[in-house]
Amino acid sequence: MTPQTPVNKADAAPKARSKDTRNTGPGRLLIAVYAVFAISATARAGYQILTKFSEAPLAYLLSAFAALVYVVATVSLAKAGRSWFKVSVAAVLVELVGVLVVGAISVFDSVSFPHETVWSLFGRGYAFIPLLLPVLGLVWLYKRRPAPHSRPV
């Protein structure tokens, strides 16, 4: 019978912390794509609202909302910790619902969307990346979910 090696809590902590981060490996690419969408959607919405808001107020307000969602997703994906993880999940879920709802409405009620938004027609104007991005984001978040809290014995 061999004695068991004592568990060193210092060795376990870095492993748990490494899974709590979402900004490593492929996560960096995901964050970069979200950042590009955050910048482009913010610029597009700002320009549309400032120059031609009366032409399609609903579409332009949805563009601004999409920009805000992308900014929140970018920041929360880049930050470590359980709270930021929850914010990331919420932002990416809101994005997915937004793409699906706005995409469907823009297909079936094109009168409400005389001008496209980032989520119109399921992101067709952006090579459908807005439809694919939240799915990839949720998969990444699932793989990088924080370890459950350990309970004292």
Side-chain angles (χ1 to χ4, degrees), residues 58-74:
L58 175 62
Y60 299 152
L61 288 174
L62 283 170
S63 285
F65 178 72
L68 178 64
V69 170
Y70 286 124
V71 168
V72 171
T74 302

Side-chain angles (χ1 to χ4, degrees), residues 56-107:
L58 175 62
Y60 299 152
L61 288 174
L62 283 170
S63 285
F65 178 72
L68 178 64
V69 170
Y70 286 124
V71 168
V72 171
T74 302
V75 171
S76 63
L77 284 166
K79 300 278 188 173
R82 196 172 290 283
S83 296
W84 284 111
F85 173 81
K86 291 176 184 178
V87 173
S88 295
V89 170
V92 175
L93 283 172
V94 166
E95 175 195 5
L96 180 60
V97 170
V99 171
L100 295 174
V101 169
V102 171
I105 292 172
S106 64
V107 167

Side-chain angles (χ1 to χ4, degrees), residues 140-153:
W140 179 250
L141 287 167
Y142 179 77
K143 288 182 177 186
R144 302 300 294 189
R145 65 193 180 279
H149 286 296
S150 60
R151 297 177 186 226
V153 178

